[in-house]
Amino acid sequence: MDEYGHFVDWDKMDVSAQSQDTKELTCTDFHELKQLARQGYWAKNHSLRAKVYHKLISNIPCRTVTPDANVYRDIVVKIIGKRNSGSLPLPEFVDNSLIPTYCLNAEGIGAIRKIILCIANQFPDISFCPALPSVIALLLHYSKDEAECFEQVCRILACNDPSKRLIDQTFLAFESSCMTFGDLVNKYCQAAHKLMVAVSEDVLEVYSDWQRWLFGELPMAYIARVFDVFLVEGYKVLYRVALALLKFFHKVRAGQPMESDSIQQDIRAFVRDIAKSVSPERLLEKAFAIRLFSRKEIQLLQMANEKALQQKGITVKQKRQNVHLAVHAENFKSEIVSVKEMRDIWSWIPERFALCQPLLLFTTLEHGCSLSRFYSHSEGHEPTLLLIKTTAEEVCGAYLSTDWSERRRGGNKLSFFGTGECFVFRLQPEVERYEWVIIKHPELASTGSETENHAPPASSTLSSSSVPSDPSDRLSPFLAARHFNLPSKTASMFMAGSSECIIVGGGDGQALYLDADLNHGRTSHCNTFNNQPLCSESFQISILEVWGFRD
């Protein structure tokens, strides 16, 4: 059809969707280019898309010595020889990945293996890269020959711009991206996440498939549209589209019985057949409607997850041992929640801490109802989990991201601190997690004159002394005041503690207040989104437990 169609089986392509209009792309402005990519400006012209890909990939900043087309021509005969390309064993770093054909002809399918082996020869530092076969198969559509495709893929792999992440090339990077995706699902796809928790023993096992959905199961017309935007905007686009896929899966399959014994298989099948329910345009529209974290915030979350994996020694591919299901029945005993309920809570916490096991730090049954003892047993631990059972058999709690010792920064005042990873939840009578907003009702603390005088209004700002001077060991992307210089009136208003009381701000207008004797508490609720309250507006505490996280 054109000079770039050498590897394409045109009988399998929807040629009617291709435009023969001669188009050129002359813009260089990033924002204009981004809009054109999202709109599919070059999507219906095979030749134009090939030229745009070549231009975008040529502009990727790379290592000084990056293999090019001439290198491929020099090494391919030595590496492949006269062997049939279909019988060539693939390197371990592609992890038995699917090798999608994407409407390629027999020569194109054989070329995928040849290019992978030549890349393995030139990039010995790649240890895990399951997306590579898909990227090569896609770029063969828009390359004049194997050598040109090889050069384009090498440029993507050799990108040395620290702010422009493209393809994961190590197991550590891949696994941390899966954890990051799990964190994003937990925040942006809560209904789908709730379904995953209900039907899967290991939620991260499901989320570890997220790149396979894109680079393996997604049909050619869809992944090409995703790749258009990916080359302009980078890695964040992949998270967006995967989240959109999960949202559509939940919407289409909600209330229906599973089609197989595995939710993983069901999602894969849905993505393979996505054309039955969602168009490429609708998928991208949904993806970009998600108000996702900034690129910098996602990068910080990725770093935090990588650090957690390194500390656990999980840096290379190994036989999975359900390391992410750390609540072991034989080692866990709580007077408030069952093992199953604790595992449900564990599915809500950030993935880097889900690697840990729960450790009981404080219980009123053993340590008494003393706020000072609560602090002394909880301090030095970050994060912590608060569990409360009321005399009315209600069970609620909070995930608290920050060490309670931070409260001392305010002196004797009721000081607010913490991060946006804090949340409150209810387990009985019904399960509900309340996503964080900010503490909207500091007047809950107005039980004593001193506390009332020092409770800041919702619009108050933090003094400079309340911001730690060294945030280097705090990699959470939610540390607004510490990392992003956001208005302090919306930052660090998640937890509060003094000698008189504790306040935890949850989402949807929820806030939890506990008095100094740990016998009484109450909640605030704004009826946002018609959510049920956390528990009774005023309640008596039967048992209170604080749990830490043990490596």
Side-chain angles (χ1 to χ4, degrees):
M1 189 173 178
D2 59 37
E3 60 181 327
Y4 297 100
H6 180 70
F7 300 107
V8 181
D9 185 342
W10 292 105
D11 292 335
K12 297 179 181 178
M13 293 283 287
D14 183 7
V15 182
S16 62
Q18 293 291 308
S19 169
Q20 302 303 315
D21 294 341
T22 302
K23 284 185 177 181
E24 296 294 335
L25 185 70
T26 57
C27 81
T28 56
D29 177 72
F30 172 76
H31 295 289
E32 184 179 354
L33 199 59
K34 183 170 76 170
Q35 290 305 313
L36 292 175
R38 292 187 179 188
Q39 293 165 9
Y41 179 81
W42 52 81
K44 293 186 177 181
N45 189 307
H46 191 270
S47 179
L48 177 61
R49 181 181 258 157
K51 292 174 182 176
V52 172
Y53 280 10
H54 182 78
K55 179 178 180 180
L56 293 174
I57 294 173
S58 296
N59 289 333
I60 294 175
C62 296
R63 305 171 192 168
T64 305
V65 181
T66 299
D68 59 14
N70 290 327
V71 170
Y72 182 82
R73 297 185 185 101
D74 289 340
I75 67 174
V76 66
V77 176
K78 301 174 186 176
I79 294 173
I80 308 302
K82 296 181 179 180
R83 291 178 293 172
N84 185 320
S85 58
S87 64
L88 296 173
L90 292 175
E92 290 185 5
F93 65 67
V94 295
D95 189 41
N96 298 316
S97 303
L98 286 179
I99 300 186
T101 58
Y102 290 152
C103 304
L104 293 172
N105 56 29
E107 185 179 356
I109 294 171
I112 298 173
R113 289 178 175 268
K114 292 164 66 176
I115 293 171
I116 290 175
L117 289 169
C118 289
I119 285 173
N121 175 268
Q122 293 295 301
F123 289 83
D125 52 334
I126 295 180
S127 59
F128 196 79
C129 192
L132 186 60
S134 176
V135 172
I136 293 173
L138 179 62
L139 288 177
L140 277 169
H141 268 261
Y142 306 103
S143 302
K144 295 178 181 178
D145 55 29
E146 294 173 13
E148 183 175 275
C149 180
F150 171 85
E151 179 175 325
Q152 293 193 80
V153 176
C154 286
R155 291 195 65 82
I156 292 173
L157 294 171
C159 174
N160 62 359
D161 182 349
S163 67
K164 193 179 181 77
R165 182 180 178 189
L166 294 176
I167 296 179
D168 294 330
Q169 299 174 45
T170 67
F171 182 74
L172 179 62
F174 172 80
E175 189 76 352
S176 63
S177 78
C178 296
M179 293 170 65
T180 301
F181 179 69
D183 287 328
L184 297 176
V185 173
N186 203 351
K187 183 171 181 65
Y188 294 104
C189 305
Q190 291 185 21
H193 182 66
K194 192 173 182 179
L195 173 64
M196 300 302 124
V197 172
V199 301
S200 174
E201 289 187 0
D202 189 350
V203 178
L204 190 64
E205 185 81 44
V206 178
Y207 297 152
S208 292
D209 247 12
W210 80 279
Q211 289 196 26
R212 176 175 174 146
W213 304 341
L214 304 175
F215 296 112
E217 305 292 357
L218 207 57
M220 165 70 189
Y222 290 75
I223 187 58
R225 286 298 309 276
V226 173
F227 207 74
D228 291 346
V229 191
F230 166 73
L231 286 178
V232 177
E233 300 187 42
Y235 200 91
K236 183 179 175 180
V237 170
L238 304 182
Y239 283 134
R240 284 188 175 281
V241 176
L243 289 170
L245 287 171
L246 201 57
K247 282 178 176 286
F248 277 122
F249 172 80
H250 179 262
K251 180 180 179 181
V252 172
R253 297 290 178 84
Q256 298 181 14
M258 290 177 59
E259 295 185 355
S260 71
D261 294 332
S262 166
I263 189 69
Q264 280 180 287
Q265 295 299 330
D266 276 14
I267 297 175
R268 290 175 184 177
F270 172 79
V271 176
R272 277 196 302 273
D273 298 330
I274 193 170
K276 295 179 180 178
S277 51
V278 182
S279 68
E281 292 74 22
R282 182 74 184 97
L283 178 63
L284 289 179
E285 180 183 331
K286 186 75 167 180
F288 290 109
I290 300 171
R291 296 179 63 85
L292 203 58
F293 298 138
S294 71
R295 186 175 287 103
K296 182 176 180 181
E297 289 170 320
I298 290 176
Q299 184 180 19
L300 286 167
L301 184 54
Q302 183 91 13
M303 289 168 59
N305 287 330
E306 283 192 11
K307 183 177 179 180
L309 287 167
Q310 287 173 323
Q311 290 173 341
K312 282 285 185 179
I314 305 172
T315 58
V316 296
K317 178 68 176 176
Q318 52 193 271
K319 185 176 181 180
R320 182 175 289 276
Q321 299 176 341
N322 276 4
V323 293
H324 304 285
L325 219 69
V327 184
H328 299 142
E330 63 274 15
N331 299 325
F332 176 76
K333 180 173 175 57
S334 167
E335 299 300 326
I336 298 178
V337 298
S338 65
V339 172
K340 182 186 180 303
E341 288 172 322
M342 195 59 145
R343 284 176 174 168
D344 287 342
I345 297 170
W346 234 243
S347 74
W348 296 333
I349 66 177
E351 292 287 358
R352 63 189 183 279
F353 296 117
L355 295 168
C356 303
Q357 295 185 41
L359 173 67
L360 184 62
L361 303 176
F362 174 87
T363 170
T364 51
L365 293 179
E366 179 180 343
H367 302 107
C369 299
S370 164
L371 186 55
S372 61
R373 282 197 290 273
F374 169 96
Y375 286 139
S376 65
H377 283 81
S378 302
E379 287 177 4
H381 294 271
E382 182 179 291
T384 54
L385 191 68
L386 175 68
L387 298 177
I388 297 170
K389 185 175 184 178
T390 72
T391 54
E393 299 296 314
E394 298 167 307
V395 176
C396 61
Y399 171 79
L400 305 170
S401 65
T402 306
D403 192 330
W404 277 106
S405 63
E406 291 279 322
R407 78 187 191 285
R408 294 201 188 97
R409 293 183 178 276
N412 293 323
K413 298 179 180 179
L414 183 68
S415 58
F416 289 83
F417 54 97
T419 77
E421 286 182 315
C422 293
F423 61 85
V424 293
F425 57 86
R426 183 186 69 211
L427 294 178
Q428 296 291 344
E430 294 178 356
V431 176
E432 183 79 48
R433 186 188 75 156
Y434 301 91
E435 186 66 21
W436 170 83
V437 280
I438 59 172
I439 292 177
K440 290 185 175 180
H441 296 274
E443 68 273 10
L444 277 170
S446 59
T447 56
S449 58
E450 177 185 348
T451 307
E452 182 177 9
N453 292 337
H454 294 302
S459 60
S460 68
T461 59
L462 297 173
S463 66
S464 58
S465 63
S466 68
V467 181
S469 59
D470 181 13
S472 60
D473 62 338
R474 303 291 178 81
L475 296 174
S476 166
F478 305 93
L479 303 180
R482 297 175 182 175
H483 285 299
F484 306 114
N485 297 318
L486 296 179
S488 56
K489 68 179 180 181
T490 61
S492 298
M493 296 189 71
F494 315 88
M495 307 162 56
S498 70
S499 59
E500 300 292 329
C501 66
I502 286 174
I503 303 178
V504 178
D508 299 335
Q510 299 284 352
L512 178 67
Y513 165 80
L514 304 179
D515 62 13
D517 62 10
L518 297 184
N519 278 320
H520 299 87
R522 50 198 147 102
T523 61
S524 169
H525 177 58
C526 284
N527 295 318
T528 312
F529 307 125
N530 295 317
N531 279 323
Q532 295 298 313
L534 187 62
C535 60
S536 302
E537 186 174 347
S538 180
F539 57 86
Q540 285 190 309
I541 298 172
S542 172
I543 309 170
L544 183 148
E545 294 176 349
V546 179
W547 292 80
F549 293 74
R550 179 178 60 198
D551 291 338

